[in-house]
């Protein structure tokens, strides 16, 4: 698994929103990038987030994201970048808090943190998290591709 520049700070499985589906992906956080792989041990990243373009990370309790049934808000978080927002969740609150703490430290050091990232990514009042497309009538699907 190639992780490029920087020491690996954390790795593990999270679920990532992809349209109306939630896909289980293996993430690797380094000092500069967040890599997303289809599974642990994969050699080609499905996506790479340059954390220099990140605005912030926060719990997603009050937003329009359609979380799968049974998922507690305490294990859900959003990562805002200048290119768009990423929504992720895990199964353990302690693990999610560690992901958020480490992401926050990297963004504080290398990114472009804002006091309220919700207002900056799309330049609209009310916040980017409030602008997430999603029909409450749509039921999200969890896809475990491991």
């Amino acid at each position: 698994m190639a992780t490029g520049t920087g020491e690996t700070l954390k790795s593990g499985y999270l679920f990532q929103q992809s349209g109306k589906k939630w896909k289980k992906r293996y993430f690797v956080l380094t000092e500069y990038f967040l890599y997303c792989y289809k599974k642990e041990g994969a050699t080609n990243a499905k996506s790479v987030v340059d954390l220099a373009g990140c605005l912030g990370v926060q719990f997603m309790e009050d937003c329009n994201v359609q979380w799968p049934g049974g998922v507690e808000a305490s294990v859900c978080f959003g990562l805002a970048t200048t290119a768009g927002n990423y929504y992720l969740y895990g199964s353990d609150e302690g693990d999610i808090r560690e992901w958020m703490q480490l992401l926050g430290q990297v963004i504080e050091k290398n990114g472009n943190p804002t006091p309220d990232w919700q207002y900056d990514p799309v330049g609209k009042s009310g916040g980017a998290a409030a602008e997430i497309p999603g029909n409450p009538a749509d039921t999200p699907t969890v896809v475990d591709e491991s």
Side-chain angles (χ1 to χ4, degrees), residues 22-39:
W22 290 87
K23 296 184 177 182
K24 185 177 182 181
R25 297 287 187 232
Y26 189 77
F27 287 86
V28 176
L29 174 63
T30 71
E31 298 171 275
Y32 303 99
F33 299 99
L34 179 63
Y35 295 87
C36 173
Y37 297 91
K38 188 170 183 175
K39 61 183 181 177

Side-chain angles (χ1 to χ4, degrees), residues 16-23 65-66 132-134 140-141:
Q16 178 183 20
Q17 185 182 38
S18 178
K20 293 180 186 176
K21 295 182 179 183
W22 290 87
K23 296 184 177 182
V65 174
Q66 184 73 28
I132 303 300
T141 305

Side-chain angles (χ1 to χ4, degrees), residues 2-3 32-37 44-51 86:
T3 56
Y32 303 99
F33 299 99
L34 179 63
Y35 295 87
C36 173
Y37 297 91
N44 294 323
K46 294 196 69 61
S47 64
V48 179
V49 178
D50 182 349
L51 297 174
Y86 296 85

